[in-house]
Amino acid sequence: MRAIRFEADGSVKLVQLPNPQSGPEDVVVQVLAAGVCHTDLHLLDEVKAGERQPLIPGHEIVGRVSEIGADVYASSVGDRVVVHFEQPCGQCRQCRRKRTNLCEKGHSLGFDAPGGYAEFVVAKQNTILPLPPNLDPAVAAPLGCSGATAYRSVVALGQADEDDLVIVIGAGGVGLSAIQIARVQGARVLAIDPREEARKAALDSGAQAAVPPQEAEAAARDLAADTGVDLVIDLVGTRTTFNLGRSLLGFGGRFVAMAPGTESVSITADDLVDGGKAYLGSYSSTMADLARVIALVEAGRLQPVVTRKGPLEDAAEVLGDLQAGRIVGRAVLFPGPMNP
Ligand SMILES: [Zn+2]
Ligand SMILES: [Zn+2]
């Protein structure tokens, strides 16, 4: 099969590999569409720095089941499916507590197991969900990471609710999903992004206002009146964005960090206790999160923003454009036909 591999020298290469084989409880999925996530850029950096083995990236996957293992009971050849990239072990302490996003022993497609920038990928049978018949694979692909991750942050952890004021810092692919999901919950949204195009996309996704960082405080005060901000979703992960979020958070507010970052930040006990605020970290998502966002898209209440489509061979170019901030919303790659 053809696949894209991140090589140790930092290059993004098209390679020929043997087709993968399924284990007894696995399915082989012929990839129809694979979303390009910002995390892929971090992975490429890590491979280049020798912190990670060369890998086949791609963790936003929609495809068609092309082969099933001997013990697969819930899926048939030909089924169109959305794949969750997390392949939890099902047995560790976190899995037993239904926190499969934090599995201690599993694998993640596109991270430490071969991912979806390839013609075929192998997944456990309990990590796929049916693709609703009316859903375009290219639109559904980003749900696997950006949609489900946003849902976990905004709803499962952030508890966005009717009439809340939610601030979304960073209106990229995940940010636009977060905005739409917060709106579905009945919240008002202020989006913050230095890029004009991203702010426009944020407004199109339902945000009440979208401003550059330097105007954030005034805009938040305008929208919050005297209630303060109920939820901050930080998709950037710098000290600056943390401090901005912290300064805006109102009584009972929740700050959810979604982006990795290494800058140290500080909060005081007063920040937590005075006003009963919570600072939370959100990591990945569960099958339940994915099922909910698929249902939202099927019902027309969530619309992933896909602005760029290309064949698998375009991977290097698309990643370069993503790095340069030239892609608003999501880019999707097609290992096979462009309109699967
Ligand atoms: Zn991702
Ligand atoms: Zn586990």
Side-chain angles (χ1 to χ4, degrees):
M1 67 171 183
R2 289 174 306 120
I4 294 291
R5 195 163 59 198
F6 287 174
E7 304 285 5
D9 62 2
S11 62
V12 175
K13 243 190 214 137
L14 185 71
V15 292
Q16 277 289 339
L17 298 170
N19 285 5
Q21 305 290 310
S22 65
E25 293 185 35
D26 299 333
V27 296
V28 178
V29 174
Q30 182 187 5
V31 180
L32 298 176
V36 179
C37 177
H38 228 276
T39 303
D40 296 334
L41 294 172
H42 294 296
L43 292 172
L44 181 56
D45 285 345
E46 287 175 14
V47 170
K48 193 177 178 184
E51 294 159 10
R52 213 177 248 282
Q53 291 297 310
L55 61 89
I56 301 172
H59 56 274
E60 298 186 339
I61 306 163
V62 165
R64 183 190 291 112
V65 175
S66 62
E67 204 182 308
I68 60 172
D71 297 331
V72 169
Y73 53 83
S75 186
S76 307
V77 170
D79 288 354
R80 280 153 74 100
V81 294
V82 184
V83 180
H84 198 304
F85 67 95
E86 297 289 14
Q87 304 285 299
C89 75
Q91 279 151 23
C92 72
R93 191 163 180 274
Q94 300 299 341
C95 282
R96 290 199 310 273
R97 281 159 178 72
K98 310 284 183 215
R99 296 192 291 235
T100 48
N101 57 317
L102 304 176
C103 173
E104 294 158 2
K105 291 185 198 141
H107 296 284
S108 307
L109 305 182
F111 291 77
D112 54 2
Y117 288 21
E119 287 181 272
F120 297 94
V121 72
V122 174
K124 293 185 178 196
Q125 66 167 329
N126 60 355
T127 64
I128 56 176
L129 288 168
L131 175 73
N134 61 340
L135 248 174
D136 177 354
V139 169
L143 298 177
C145 169
S146 109
T149 311
Y151 186 90
R152 179 144 210 91
S153 304
V154 173
V155 183
L157 291 173
Q159 297 164 29
D161 206 350
E162 197 81 39
D163 208 37
D164 275 359
L165 178 58
V166 177
I167 305 250
V168 174
I169 305 177
V174 183
L176 296 178
S177 295
I179 291 166
Q180 291 184 32
I181 291 165
R183 296 291 291 137
V184 168
Q185 294 297 108
R188 294 164 300 141
V189 179
L190 167 62
I192 300 170
D193 199 297
R195 299 167 297 166
E196 195 183 339
E197 254 187 299
R199 295 200 295 274
K200 191 183 168 301
L203 294 173
D204 290 343
S205 288
Q208 266 68 21
V211 299
Q214 62 274 19
E215 293 170 26
E217 286 204 54
R221 260 195 307 275
D222 268 4
L223 281 169
D226 49 5
T227 58
V229 172
D230 301 289
L231 173 62
V232 172
I233 302 287
D234 182 6
L235 290 134
V236 180
T238 63
R239 185 182 298 128
T240 310
T241 55
F242 181 88
N243 287 339
L244 174 64
R246 189 189 62 170
S247 70
L248 298 174
L249 213 55
F251 267 45
R254 296 164 302 284
F255 182 104
V256 179
M258 286 187 73
T262 53
E263 294 179 15
S264 62
V265 295
S266 66
I267 51 172
T268 64
D270 276 353
D271 288 325
L272 298 167
V273 177
D274 186 15
K277 293 164 192 164
Y279 289 80
L280 304 162
S282 186
Y283 180 78
S284 192
S285 63
T286 64
M287 287 297 281
D289 299 321
L290 180 58
R292 296 209 172 96
V293 285
I294 292 172
L296 286 177
V297 176
E298 194 183 7
R301 306 187 71 193
L302 175 68
Q303 179 74 25
V305 181
V306 175
T307 55
R308 172 97 170 255
K309 297 178 182 181
L312 194 59
E313 289 74 9
D314 282 5
E317 185 191 321
V318 168
L319 286 162
D321 285 348
L322 185 64
Q323 177 87 64
R326 285 195 288 267
I327 293 176
V328 169
R330 265 290 187 266
V332 172
L333 298 173
F334 301 91
M338 287 278 288
N339 283 307

